[in-house]
Amino acid sequence: MSQTVDRALSILPLLAEGPADLGRVAERLDVHKSTALRLLRTLHEHGLVYRQSDQRYRLGARLFALAQEAVENLDVREIAHPHLLALNEKCGHTVHLAVYEEQEVLYIDKVESRYPVRMYSRIGKPVAITVAAVAKLLLSDLPEAERRAVAEKLDYPTYTSRSTPNAAAFLKELATVREQGWATDLGGHEESINCIGAPIRGADGRVVAAMSVSAPNVVVTAEELLTLLPQVRRTADAISREYSGKSPLKEA
Amino acid sequence: MSQTVDRALSILPLLAEGPADLGRVAERLDVHKSTALRLLRTLHEHGLVYRQSDQRYRLGARLFALAQEAVENLDVREIAHPHLLALNEKCGHTVHLAVYEEQEVLYIDKVESRYPVRMYSRIGKPVAITVAAVAKLLLSDLPEAERRAVAEKLDYPTYTSRSTPNAAAFLKELATVREQGWATDLGGHEESINCIGAPIRGADGRVVAAMSVSAPNVVVTAEELLTLLPQVRRTADAISREYSGKSPLKEA
DNA sequence: AAGGTGCGTTGCATTATGTGCAACGGTCAT
DNA sequence: ATGACCGTTGCACATAATGCAACGCACCTT
């Protein structure tokens, strides 16, 4: 809606691909060099862009700080964290917390496995939305119409032979998840990794976040992992209770 | 330099404080509501801002994703990570990697301690610049003039009785660090936590990053921690060698 | 139920603001 | 030394951002 800001913000994803010099930025934005310069300068003043020693620009430090503060302001996260830690202490596996936002599911917290074999994931990283247990939980609670719309629009990458193949299968899976109140990902993302997850609900009963426990085959089998389900659900319920009990924000 | 972009970007730190509604944003920016609306909409389109169910705005998901991609594009980090992991496997303590940028020192990687007692820190979080071992290492390598300028401009919070008290003491400490090629923080940030760190150098010999090992008193004494120094330095040197050997970017 | 307040939203006229141009200056390589 | 390249500056022009006032909506009051 605002051309100037729009152009300026378009620089960020561009730089996320890697450092770029002024000419390149101007070219990609299809504006004059002087225009690009002014935009970059403004971004620089705000610390979102950094000028490295070879004069090229890359994303700046304040971006991290902002993302940091943003994640810390999420009240679910704050409440959930100690519970996640406790669960990790008990079972030893990697524990994730995720939310749905603007057609994306992303991890907002993580407690690392105590075992040497760890799965790759990172806070802030978008989740493999068609297969992850947390994604199924979050999407399964969307209003019917939106759920369908999102499911239709998604890509269904075949990470493994057990990945969700298409929208129809995904919607069916979501229905199951919705009913049973928990979800799994059995080798759908990486052949050797299984997850089980449970939803965290607000006072109005809507799913506000989801958590999961992940473990590689080499540590525990899928069956063994499933025995943790009651524990995971209890943890999620405890978080839900605390979250809906005395939420500092969002008293709606 | 660009008023519109400047205003738009000013919204981000504002929202980092917590969610705000349109009126509040307009007020803080000292612009008309309609102007604030247009700016917010543009930010929203780019995913930097999210509109929650109560219509208030808060920082959005793409911010994480951007910060994420940014950190993954840092070549030092990529090279260093396996070394940090290896060191952590050996000694069990928390290992940090940090860089200096625009008068700030910030953690760009971290491997958590295996011990239950962990120190609080987070990737992207600015470091306590006047006391942290990594900060001393990074600042000690700045050109004399800049080092002085930065030292003068800093605040010197008294986190503990052993915190660096003022610019003079800090500059003296930096000189020591510069000469000996390693640094410590013995209870300067938190009374019970000690750190030792070593610099990572590029092909031209300049310090491009710094790493440290941190451990609380209750796990190992400062003296015991210091016995790890050779190991830490060897790790840092190994990273330096690899980094200057075959850097994919920055062939300047 | 009627009236009122507070909030986000829209269309429009004004002019401030961002734009592209052309010329400059520094750096590096030949 | 000479030329090419890239970032930078000042300026005239016109676009694009601004504030205003009016609207619509939801919620609360009496």
Side-chain angles (χ1 to χ4, degrees):
Chain A
M1 295 240 98
S2 166
Q3 188 186 79
T4 318
V5 178
D6 187 47
R7 284 173 172 170
L9 296 182
S10 302
I11 294 177
L12 299 178
L14 195 159
L15 291 185
E17 297 169 17
D21 60 20
L22 179 61
R24 189 175 172 70
V25 172
E27 188 188 15
R28 290 282 296 267
L29 284 189
D30 198 32
V31 295
H32 196 95
K33 281 187 303 175
S34 59
T35 305
L37 180 67
R38 250 169 297 125
L39 297 176
L40 280 165
R41 278 227 255 259
T42 312
L43 288 168
H44 180 89
E45 270 174 29
H46 286 260
L48 299 185
V49 143
Y50 176 64
R51 191 146 204 204
Q52 46 187 40
S53 46
D54 61 355
Q55 286 218 112
R56 290 188 305 171
Y57 295 91
R58 61 172 170 75
L59 294 178
R62 189 131 314 141
L63 212 49
F64 301 90
L66 277 175
Q68 205 39 52
E69 295 188 60
V71 87
E72 285 181 0
N73 274 342
L74 294 177
D75 34 355
V76 210
R77 186 179 170 280
E78 206 161 314
I79 291 170
H81 194 73
H83 295 273
L84 305 184
L85 268 177
L87 181 59
N88 169 264
E89 291 294 334
K90 265 186 235 145
C91 71
H93 303 298
T94 301
V95 181
H96 278 112
L97 181 70
V99 293
Y100 172 79
E101 184 178 320
E102 315 259 348
Q103 326 245 11
E104 274 189 349
V105 171
L106 51 107
Y107 294 125
I108 57 171
D109 204 1
K110 176 186 187 182
V111 183
E112 287 276 8
S113 164
R114 271 191 272 112
Y115 298 95
V117 187
R118 288 174 179 173
M119 68 178 287
Y120 178 74
S121 75
R122 223 167 176 53
I123 295 174
K125 193 107 185 163
V127 174
I129 199 168
T130 59
V131 296
V134 287
K136 293 174 187 171
L137 289 160
L138 291 163
L139 294 181
S140 74
D141 188 61
L142 291 180
E144 160 92 38
E146 194 177 348
R147 201 187 328 154
R148 267 189 118 107
V150 172
E152 301 291 347
K153 230 190 302 174
L154 288 175
D155 284 334
Y156 292 85
T158 310
Y159 304 108
T160 76
S161 62
R162 281 179 287 179
S163 297
T164 311
N166 51 47
F170 191 46
L171 283 168
K172 198 171 150 203
E173 172 79 356
L174 291 187
T176 310
V177 166
R178 191 183 168 80
E179 251 179 64
Q180 71 191 7
W182 51 275
T184 62
D185 163 23
L186 302 175
H189 185 42
E190 290 187 47
E191 197 67 63
S192 64
I193 292 185
N194 302 310
C195 311
I196 52 170
I200 291 158
R201 298 175 190 277
D204 53 2
R206 297 218 37 201
V207 174
V208 296
M211 59 174 293
S212 71
V213 170
S214 315
N217 266 331
V218 296
V219 176
V220 291
T221 65
E223 289 73 36
E224 288 170 324
L225 186 62
L226 279 170
T227 63
L228 293 176
L229 182 56
Q231 245 185 89
V232 175
R233 297 188 74 178
R234 255 183 280 127
T235 304
D237 289 346
I239 298 170
S240 299
R241 268 194 302 281
E242 196 175 331
Y243 179 69
S244 37
K246 34 161 187 178
S247 171
L249 304 167
K250 263 202 198 179
E251 54 272 54
Chain B
M1 296 242 97
S2 167
Q3 189 185 76
T4 318
V5 178
D6 187 48
R7 284 174 172 168
L9 297 182
S10 303
I11 294 177
L12 298 178
L14 194 160
L15 290 185
E17 297 170 18
D21 60 22
L22 178 60
R24 190 176 171 70
V25 172
E27 188 189 14
R28 290 281 296 268
L29 285 189
D30 199 32
V31 295
H32 195 93
K33 281 186 303 174
S34 58
T35 304
L37 180 67
R38 251 169 296 127
L39 298 176
L40 280 165
R41 278 226 255 259
T42 312
L43 289 168
H44 180 89
E45 269 173 31
H46 285 259
L48 299 185
V49 143
Y50 176 63
R51 191 145 202 202
Q52 46 187 40
S53 46
D54 62 355
Q55 288 217 114
R56 290 189 305 173
Y57 295 91
R58 61 172 170 73
L59 295 179
R62 189 132 313 141
L63 213 48
F64 301 88
L66 278 175
Q68 205 40 51
E69 296 188 60
V71 89
E72 285 181 359
N73 275 342
L74 294 178
D75 35 352
V76 209
R77 186 179 170 280
E78 207 160 313
I79 291 171
H81 193 74
H83 295 273
L84 305 185
L85 268 179
L87 182 59
N88 168 264
E89 291 294 334
K90 266 187 235 146
C91 72
H93 303 298
T94 301
V95 181
H96 278 111
L97 181 71
V99 294
Y100 172 78
E101 182 178 321
E102 315 260 349
Q103 328 244 9
E104 274 188 348
V105 171
L106 50 107
Y107 295 125
I108 58 171
D109 205 0
K110 176 186 185 181
V111 184
E112 287 275 7
S113 165
R114 273 193 270 113
Y115 298 95
V117 187
R118 289 174 178 171
M119 69 175 290
Y120 179 74
S121 75
R122 218 159 179 59
I123 295 174
K125 194 109 186 163
V127 173
I129 198 168
T130 58
V131 296
V134 287
K136 292 174 187 171
L137 289 160
L138 291 163
L139 293 181
S140 74
D141 187 61
L142 290 180
E144 161 90 36
E146 194 178 349
R147 202 188 328 154
R148 265 189 121 108
V150 173
E152 301 289 348
K153 231 190 302 176
L154 289 175
D155 284 334
Y156 292 85
T158 310
Y159 304 108
T160 77
S161 62
R162 281 179 287 180
S163 297
T164 310
N166 53 46
F170 192 47
L171 283 168
K172 198 170 148 204
E173 173 80 356
L174 291 187
T176 309
V177 166
R178 191 183 168 81
E179 251 179 64
Q180 71 191 7
W182 51 276
T184 61
D185 162 22
L186 302 175
H189 185 42
E190 289 187 48
E191 197 66 64
S192 63
I193 292 184
N194 301 311
C195 311
I196 53 172
I200 291 158
R201 299 175 190 277
D204 53 2
R206 295 217 38 199
V207 174
V208 295
M211 59 173 294
S212 72
V213 169
S214 315
N217 266 330
V218 296
V219 176
V220 291
T221 64
E223 289 73 39
E224 289 169 325
L225 187 63
L226 278 170
T227 63
L228 293 176
L229 183 57
Q231 245 186 89
V232 176
R233 297 188 73 175
R234 253 183 282 126
T235 304
D237 289 346
I239 298 170
S240 299
R241 267 193 304 279
E242 197 175 330
Y243 179 69
S244 37
K246 35 162 186 173
S247 170
L249 304 169
K250 262 200 196 180
E251 52 272 52

